[in-house]
Amino acid sequence: MKLMMLVKNENMKLYRQRSGMISLITAYAFTMLVAIGQYVINSSPVLSYWDSASYVLQIFIQLFMLVSMIIAIHILGREYSTGTMKLLLIRPHSRSRILLSKYIAILSYILLGVLGSVPLAMTIAGITSGFEGWIYVEDLHAAMKLFITKLFIFPFYIALAFTITVLTRHQGLSLIITILFFAITVNFVPVIPGMNILISFLFWTLLNAAFLFIGVRAFKQQEI
């Protein structure tokens, strides 16, 4: 119950600043422009409806991942830079709950953004490929499998962003390190080339848990 109250408070702070919603709308708009722009200038055959929708979702997920990491670093890093972290720590909440509430809040924000991208992708797919293709269930299953697989990257990179921010206490440095790590590893998450998909998922899940453990442990030991 205490954790959920902290999550609610973090969500209120996130949406009160308006930067979260502005970033989300910008990601939607940019995805739409990129997808339709490539359709206009591309001379190759048109994709099927669900392949087109899947393509749009992949554009959004790659872009929104970067946006989410920036927001994650900001909502934690600003607590250090403004000194409000001390105000959080004098409340009757454990440090682990404080950090996890921020982690859960940003994941709920991501869930909202991703759910909103689905109708956007379906609309753009209809514009570029025609709406009649939505009835082909086989293509839908393949698109859903790819979509769910891609969603796996969000918790992992948000845990990384939080941990780096806790360790450095600096937004700019955390952003540089996190984006560099993202650029190096994004082609291997969640499926490592040449490795079984279940083993790949297990590897990244354990690494995700390790990042959270390191972040929480470091946060507990810090002198603010």
Side-chain angles (χ1 to χ4, degrees):
M1 184 63 68
K2 290 182 179 180
L3 179 60
M4 289 301 102
M5 289 299 295
L6 284 171
V7 172
K8 181 180 178 180
N9 183 55
E10 290 299 329
N11 275 318
M12 290 174 60
K13 290 193 292 185
L14 177 61
Y15 295 115
R16 191 185 299 129
Q17 291 187 347
R18 298 183 181 178
S19 59
M21 293 307 298
I22 292 174
S23 299
L24 183 57
I25 293 171
T26 302
Y28 287 150
F30 190 79
T31 299
M32 182 175 63
L33 289 174
V34 171
I36 294 179
Q38 290 193 4
Y39 166 73
V40 171
I41 65 175
N42 199 346
S43 59
S44 61
V46 176
L47 297 173
S48 68
Y49 177 83
W50 289 113
D51 284 342
S52 181
S54 179
Y55 172 71
V56 175
L57 286 172
Q58 289 185 66
I59 295 175
F60 174 78
I61 286 174
Q62 293 287 85
L63 174 63
F64 195 48
M65 184 68 256
L66 291 172
V67 171
S68 301
M69 288 191 298
I70 293 171
I71 293 176
I73 291 169
H74 175 67
I75 66 173
L76 184 58
R78 73 169 180 229
E79 304 282 11
Y80 287 110
S81 60
T82 61
T84 53
M85 186 65 78
K86 294 180 180 179
L87 298 178
L88 285 175
L89 297 181
I90 63 175
R91 296 179 181 179
H93 302 295
S94 67
R95 292 194 178 197
S96 58
R97 281 179 180 162
I98 291 173
L99 190 61
L100 288 176
S101 68
K102 293 180 180 294
Y103 180 70
I104 295 172
I106 191 65
L107 289 183
S108 66
Y109 164 79
I110 290 169
L111 180 61
L112 171 67
V114 170
L115 289 177
S117 72
V118 174
L120 174 67
M122 293 176 68
T123 301
I124 296 174
I127 294 172
T128 58
S129 302
F131 287 97
E132 62 275 3
W134 72 272
I135 62 175
Y136 295 108
V137 180
E138 297 83 2
D139 293 338
L140 171 60
H141 288 165
M144 287 182 62
K145 181 179 179 180
L146 180 61
F147 177 60
I148 293 172
T149 300
K150 289 293 184 180
L151 286 182
F152 184 85
I153 70 175
F154 284 98
F156 171 74
Y157 284 112
I158 297 304
L160 170 67
F162 270 35
T163 299
I164 297 299
T165 307
V166 168
L167 294 175
T168 64
R169 306 194 202 186
H170 190 281
Q171 293 188 54
L173 182 58
S174 300
L175 185 60
I176 292 172
I177 295 173
T178 304
I179 290 180
L180 282 175
F181 191 91
F182 173 78
I184 294 170
T185 61
V186 65
N187 292 327
F188 306 103
V189 181
V191 182
I192 302 173
M195 187 176 291
N196 181 279
I197 187 171
L198 293 179
I199 297 177
S200 296
F201 269 61
L202 178 60
F203 173 80
W204 293 116
T205 298
L206 292 175
L207 194 57
N208 186 5
F211 280 139
L212 285 176
F213 176 79
I214 293 170
V216 170
R217 185 175 179 82
F219 189 57
K220 284 182 176 180
Q221 296 176 346
Q222 280 181 349
E223 294 185 4
I224 307 299

